Amino acid sequence: MTTPAAAFPGPFRTDVLVVGAGPAGSSAAAWAARAGREVVLADAAVFPRDKTCGDGLTPRAIGELERLGLGDWIRAHTVNHGLRAHGFGQTLLLPWPGGNLPSYGSAVARTELDDHLRTTAIKAGALAIDGIRAVDVRRDGARVAAVVFESQGHERFEIECDRLVVADGVRSGLGKVLGREWHRDTVYGVAGRSYVDSAMSDDPWISSHLELRGEQGEILSGYGWIFPLGDGSVNLGVGTLATAKRPAEVALRPLMRHYAEQRREDFQLSGDLRMPTSALLPMGGAVSNVAGPNWALIGDAAACVNPLNGEGIDYGLETGRLVVDVLTATPGADLEQVWPALLREHYGEAFSIARRLAGLVTVPRLLPALGPAGMRSDWLMTLALRWMGNLVDEADRDRAARVWRWAGRQSVKIDDRPPFS
């Protein structure tokens, strides 16, 4: 059920308190409720609400949605076959590699996706509360005994919990209270998103322009995307990569408009850009203090975002499931030890090599030098799609998967600060 904040009785106690009802939080709440736990799912927004995102769902995300029983629901939306990559005078059609993952992708506006995932958690038995922001915690030693919330009417109350799952997004206000620190020495993303009408809204391919140029014709260290939504519109956006040494110095909204004008004829765009938003994206596990004795950060809050494509929905859904697996398999586990180790086991190697490669893209003149050669090879770009999309499943044993894992192991060895540390 959904309880409006004004009607919430408080004080209250629950087995599992999940803060943040995006894909990560709703996934965790759904799996915990299905495991028989008493669950409260709290969010600062009132649903349905928007979220800055490209809205793309890779096969990795599709696999998690199917695990949740949402396969039929997602297939009722637009389905795409893979990536149409543009750049340096070339256009390549790169099908999703399949393998142990589903062979299709999709795109659903976050206003709809997040609301449906939250409803899935509610149907599983979670109590969802809108319009309350987590502002502090009450501790019992090193453990979190309760989270302090503030309603939109500025009234404060507590929810006590045995276990706390923090899924409040890239900024993670509650994570900061708990000691989360974002390290910007490795690559991070700066992205903007908008919607625009298009006669190609049913295009069975998502499109990415790897030769993103600024208004002066300069090549930028990022890419533009157009993801068909099947409803008469597309999600159009741009993203650039940066580090503390090489910050992104672009105005995203003018860049989006410039990119849209460049693509208007090819993608039959009409009208103005709607609902433009932007966000900074911590990537590749570039945060420390992701867990305490009875609490854990998941999804974007734990910087589980792919450094090579900005994708975070798949990791949000995965980490929501994984944290509940830990809580269910070892109810008394010390999450401060178990959770960072599990994140490193699942994502550390891939994130390490991905953010190292993404960091190279921020080096001036490197992308213009290497981009044309890469785009001339279907084989190389197909391999890049698989690696960039983190479509190497743990069960994959082919040569490309082995090379990717080997590169990840070598990368971690020379990291000054490995992922999630």
Side-chain angles (χ1 to χ4, degrees), residues 109-367:
R110 289 292 295 273
T111 304
E112 180 182 359
L113 176 69
D114 289 15
D115 192 53
H116 192 77
L117 286 168
R118 180 173 171 274
T119 299
T120 299
I122 293 169
K123 289 180 177 179
L127 170 65
I129 309 174
D130 274 351
I132 59 172
R133 183 179 300 279
V135 294
D136 205 350
V137 297
R138 175 166 57 83
R139 299 178 187 266
D140 180 7
R143 297 173 64 85
V144 171
V147 174
V148 180
F149 290 92
E150 183 175 273
S151 72
Q152 293 184 347
H154 304 293
E155 296 174 337
R156 290 199 172 194
F157 59 91
E158 292 185 353
I159 300 179
E160 297 181 349
C161 59
D162 294 325
R163 296 284 179 157
L164 170 63
V165 177
V166 181
D168 56 350
V170 291
R171 295 181 180 180
S172 192
L174 186 58
K176 291 178 183 177
V177 170
L178 293 166
R180 169 194 187 257
E181 185 178 358
W182 172 21
H183 306 287
R184 301 195 188 193
D185 48 344
T186 56
V187 69
Y188 62 91
V190 184
R193 171 233 77 185
S194 63
Y195 295 103
V196 60
D197 294 335
S198 170
M200 294 182 64
S201 180
D202 292 316
D203 186 0
W205 298 86
I206 62 173
S207 288
S208 178
H209 292 82
L210 306 180
E211 185 183 355
L212 179 64
R213 291 184 177 271
E215 297 183 67
Q216 306 304 317
E218 73 280 17
I219 296 179
L220 304 176
S221 57
Y223 69 100
W225 69 79
I226 296 177
F227 294 167
L229 295 172
D231 62 355
S233 68
V234 296
N235 181 309
L236 180 147
V238 296
T240 63
L241 298 170
T243 64
K245 291 183 179 179
R246 291 184 286 272
E249 297 178 350
V250 295
L252 287 173
R253 297 194 182 193
L255 180 59
M256 272 195 291
R257 290 193 294 268
H258 176 64
Y259 174 65
E261 289 308 312
Q262 290 179 310
R263 311 274 79 87
R264 189 168 290 275
E265 182 177 351
D266 290 345
F267 288 84
Q268 301 176 51
L269 307 180
S270 60
D272 297 329
L273 302 185
R274 303 188 304 274
M275 301 170 62
T277 61
S278 60
L280 260 64
L281 298 173
M283 294 174 158
V287 295
S288 53
N289 299 320
V290 295
N294 70 327
W295 57 268
L297 273 59
I298 64 173
D300 288 356
C304 291
V305 176
N306 190 329
L308 290 173
N309 67 0
E311 166 66 10
I313 296 174
D314 49 4
Y315 302 110
L317 294 168
E318 283 181 2
T319 53
R321 172 175 55 86
L322 291 172
V323 75
V324 174
D325 286 347
V326 172
L327 300 183
T328 303
T330 52
D334 180 353
L335 294 177
E336 188 170 13
Q337 302 300 319
V338 174
W339 186 240
L342 189 145
L343 289 177
R344 285 191 287 271
E345 176 187 350
H346 279 269
Y347 306 120
E349 293 173 0
F351 278 175
S352 175
I353 185 61
R355 69 190 192 186
R356 195 173 299 282
L357 293 174
L360 291 175
V361 177
T362 68
V363 177
R365 295 185 294 278
L366 190 62
L367 184 60

Side-chain angles (χ1 to χ4, degrees), residues 10-33:
F12 194 75
R13 182 173 185 83
T14 187
D15 292 340
V16 180
L17 172 59
V18 182
V19 175
S26 289
S27 170
W31 288 116

